[in-house]
Amino acid sequence: MNERPIDGEPSSPHRPWYRRPGGIAAAVVVAGSFALWAYALSGVARRDPPDTLADKAYASRAEQVCAPYRRIVDALPPAPASKTPQDRAAVLGEATDTLTEMVAGLRTIAPDNPADQAIVDAWLQDWDHYLADRYAYRDKLATGTDAKFLLTSSFGVIYTRSMDNLATVNAMPSCITPGDV
């Protein structure tokens, strides 16, 4: 097909979009984007969170263990209600003793498979760590020092996040760390 130049401009053959490198690249990007979103929204990509227990009965039993202890801790006076660090230490000690009993109760139940048992064991070790941090804080307050509650970290990560995540994804809201400190 011969085209005549307009006003002295040289003619250039007209190529369809699929024969131009830029058109091909644009089509690949659009198709790839569409495929990615189709995959993501299809449900094929859905995965359970890593802390999801296969033994749903364990989660139910754990919630039953945690709930009464959590009610006791939640009924204690909040931190700002304490007039002195020593008063706060007494309340914190009572709450932490209650949580220690809760963790002991959790140790009496076990999931029905080894993979879940490994996850629960790590979770209970984190609870032990958390209780030790609470007792250390109570001891500082008992000296009259108006200290801040600090959690020790594990590999740069605050371990209560993973504790709470396990409780959340397994529908154990009473087993989440309390916000009483």
Side-chain angles (χ1 to χ4, degrees):
M1 183 170 167
N2 276 335
E3 291 186 12
R4 296 190 159 227
I6 301 174
D7 296 329
E9 293 180 13
S11 66
S12 64
H14 178 69
R15 292 185 293 171
W17 68 269
Y18 52 85
R19 291 195 177 193
R20 289 179 277 168
I24 293 171
V28 167
V29 167
V30 169
S33 177
F34 177 76
L36 176 69
W37 281 106
Y39 172 72
L41 297 175
S42 71
V44 174
R46 181 168 300 176
R47 299 182 199 274
D48 288 332
D51 287 337
T52 301
L53 300 173
D55 183 3
K56 303 301 179 203
Y58 174 83
S60 177
R61 291 190 310 268
E63 175 61 21
Q64 290 172 358
V65 168
C66 293
Y69 292 105
R70 185 58 183 260
R71 282 192 293 274
I72 293 168
V73 170
D74 289 346
L76 293 171
S82 299
K83 293 186 167 106
T84 66
Q86 292 89 345
D87 291 342
R88 181 69 195 125
V91 174
L92 180 63
E94 185 178 344
T96 306
D97 290 344
T98 301
L99 293 173
T100 300
E101 291 174 31
M102 179 189 82
V103 172
L106 289 169
R107 289 190 196 291
T108 67
I109 60 174
D112 65 1
N113 67 67
D116 284 354
Q117 186 63 57
I119 292 170
V120 169
D121 287 345
W123 182 57
L124 292 173
Q125 286 175 353
D126 285 343
W127 267 104
D128 292 339
H129 197 147
Y130 177 68
L131 294 171
D133 284 347
R134 287 176 65 101
Y135 281 126
Y137 180 55
R138 179 212 50 197
D139 293 345
K140 283 182 189 174
L141 291 173
T143 66
T145 304
D146 195 13
K148 287 187 176 186
F149 179 55
L150 300 174
L151 294 170
T152 54
S153 66
S154 177
F155 302 107
V157 177
I158 297 176
Y159 59 91
T160 56
R161 288 185 185 150
S162 62
M163 291 168 61
D164 292 347
N165 182 58
L166 184 136
T168 300
V169 301
N170 291 293
M172 304 183 303
S174 298
C175 299
I176 292 174
T177 56
D180 64 328
V181 181

